[in-house]
Amino acid sequence: MSSTPSGADSHLAVPGFARTNSEISHRIKNQPGYTTPVFKGKEEQRALVQEEVAAKGFIPQELVANEVNWFYSNLGIDDTYFQNESREVICDHIIALFGAKILAYTQHDPSKLVIDLEKIDEKGNGATFIHTSPPGLTVTEGPGATCETRIDSLFLDKSTPSNAYRLETYRSAGSISVTASQQLRCYFINKCVFPNELQKDANGKTDIKSVSDKSFLEKATENTLEIYQQVMWSVEERYGPVIEVFEVEGSRERRLVIGYKMGGTSRFFSALSNLYHFYSLYSARKYVEQFSNGITIISLYLNPLPGTNAPPIEHSIFQVMKEASLLYCLPDNPFFLPKAPGTHAVQEATYACKLPLATI
Amino acid sequence: MIHYPSNGAQELMPTLSYQRLQTIQPLTDEELYDKIRRTVPNKHELQVLESFLIFNKHVLKTNFYQPTKVALSFRFAPEFLPEVEYPKKPFGMFMVVGNEFRGFHIRFRDVARGGIRIVMSRNRETYSINQRQLFDENYGLASTQSLKNKDIPEGGAKGTILPSIGATPRLCFEKYVDAMIDLLIPGKTPGIKETLVDLYGQPELLFFGPDEGTADMMDWAALHARARGAENWWKSFTTGKSAQTLGGVPHDTYGMTSLSIRQYVLGIYKQLGLREKDITKVQTGGPDGDLGSNEILLSSDKTVAIIDGSGVLADPAGLNREELIRLAKLRVPVSNFDKSKLSKDGYLVKVEEQDVKLPSGEIVLDGTDFRNGAHLRFKADLFVPCGGRPEAVNISNMQALFDSEGKPHFKYIVEGANLFLTQQARLFLEKRKIIVFKDSSTNKGGVTSSSLEVLAGLALSTQEYVDLMIFKDGKPSEFYQSYVKDIQQKISENAAAEFQCIWREHSRLQGVKPRTTISDELSSTLNNLQAELESSDLFDDLPSRYGVMKKAIPKTLVDKIGLETLLKRLPETYQRALFSSWVASRFIYKYGVNASSVDFFHFARDLAK
């Protein structure tokens, strides 16, 4: 990292002179900001699940091993899923997938293979959503259409320091089958477990480790912690949102980190997706982290969608950054919903939204 | 495009939104209007697009392009308001739009103060009604406020916030204030807060006060303004701050509003040669409220009935004063009155009681019903509403204040609570020979106090403010105590002077003009004179200015800081406002509404003394 990600450098800037884009963004190494968890008991679990699926009798015996194997190895589902879910749930999901395949077969169209798995824990411990999703598009029908808005209203908007939910979501690397080029998107929502005591350093600043969720601490790399720490300090100082852009070395990937006070806005996460879709970007990973001192940090890994004539990510990322700040003010804007006729940029939509007020 | 930050020159590439706009040929205003006119399919769309155009043309400042913000705020030039609907042109207009609320702020003078009100909606229906009325309500409240602020430097202002259903009012208020501050402080941190495009071009100061739903948020706003870097004005940004921690002057602790109401009551006694202990009085608003409790503590009359939220307390022989004082000090409602202290004809009916037998043998079926109509039931010399529902006496029930022979229940009414009587009721009662003093005259003690709280904030440096105004070890400083005394004295002076003026004017016209009308005229004459003075060159006459300032600024402050330093610290717009309000009010109170130019010449000649 070549410079600190916080506003520290901006305080040194001469007032009245704007920073150029390259000054605003920070450079980071091309490494994931989270370690990919490895679930050690995966093989063991696979054997047990296979037994269970076979016992249920829905899938022909000779296909069971293949199906389970495909689900475990080829689909690209993160280990987090296997670690968190019970065998029964995994079993149900495998059988549901098999059903979906049969349905697609009877319709003679492999592209109709729609995967839509979800599990919302009744005790409020979290949820899992897995479904097929084309990259860089806002889907208006099918399983993914309402998923993010539901996550917002069920978990993220309601989060408070005493009852917060963190979110991880990935786009799977592989395709779901040989014949269909669809990719999977997985959402994992978990209730946060915070340490008991908030610790401040000598300067009265919060130590991020003392306010972080347990599983976040396990997964986040040192680098990520450092970035989040800086963002957190800026959020504590400021009333508004803190938005930072990071360039990833040797790739066109950009990471957008947004920090704000928990409950400071609502339906923001799903609105952000609409935003970067507008600029033909797709995200490989997204994280929403909650901290027990009432701060939320969202981080989006954004990549340009190949084969579009959209503006290059090097420019559009700054537009996304600017417009994210508008979205923070007015996330549920009727002119920017996917169903709105035509396409509006956020600035245009936000402008339009004040119209009813202007007719005084 | 006007408000777009102009740093494009330093970038190799202009931003994408800029490019998006550049692909289209920009039109001039006329061309744009013509194009709209020609392309719209119907009148409604024309209206909508027209309002966009008007909107754009009247924005003076906005945080729309600010890199980070929590809500959008716009400062408008109010020229576009049609005069038919809004006869008085506001000085400045703000609009704030956030995720869960929308709000306005309107002020009628450059230097203006008024409460920020949170308008809550019970359901979707009331929300949409509120949504439609918000601006008009705000306009109305701000213009009422300017009548009330007639003899203080600040003109009238008001802010309103309408939270969506289910939104947290506190969050809305915080966002409202933060977005507003975006427009008041020039941005100095590029990438976070850029310098805005400012078509107004003058520093702006706003003063917020507590109002419905915001009483406990004033501390936060002041501290937030400080955190945002408003070194010069965070102390004066809000009034009604905590006394202990932020050096505010709480109205109810020092009975500021009651003090001015009191002057009217005392004025009546004095003019008519009455002795307070012979006077019977009915009071609405119990010992639990600000006005009610202070009225009890300040008076020594024979109170025959008190009506409050908890019930009705009455005693024809006069309620036991020690017991009333006990309740007033504890700030508890009349339901806590010790019944053994009542005479044989006295009684207490609580709202939750049913089938109560009064000493007269009458049976009260329902306590709440009884309470709601009780202000029309009792008879006394004096009636002082210190609380109760607005418009409690109106066209439909004002007849009930007279008995079957047409004799009024009360001889004098001093309306302490806001809008207890409707204007119609006031005029009607006065016609039937009741002496009525209306709310905006009687209860202005509160605004005077707030105004002087602002003055302290502007006049003291942060260090002085912390040392002198904020409590040390839970105790106020000597300076603070003496300043509060100055405020109290000023309130009494102003109220007594206005009372005299109304009384004199009324007798001069031999009772033809009701006091209510005189009071209203007084306000508007004062406001007009103030506006004239503010733009006149009288202020530039140094000896007069010094003479006025010495008298207008409380003595405690002048002694401590020195007049020279004070005049250096106070913003010039504020000084002008202070000057003109003092001159206007003193002049009118002394010479009356119909004073001549010669009178003014005499008056102005003596200003420098």
Side-chain angles (χ1 to χ4, degrees), chain B residues 540-573:
Chain B
D540 301 327
D541 179 41
L542 276 182
S544 304
R545 191 196 307 180
Y546 276 73
V548 169
M549 291 298 174
K550 209 164 70 203
K551 281 172 261 179
I553 301 173
K555 195 167 174 303
T556 312
L557 208 54
V558 177
D559 288 350
K560 186 84 194 175
I561 310 295
L563 198 58
E564 288 288 332
T565 322
L566 281 174
L567 294 188
K568 261 184 225 124
R569 282 186 193 163
L570 298 174
E572 197 192 302
T573 46

Side-chain angles (χ1 to χ4, degrees), chain B residues 71-83:
Chain B
L72 305 177
S73 52
F74 304 88
R75 160 73 158 92
F76 297 105
E79 271 70 42
F80 63 92
L81 295 177
E83 208 176 330

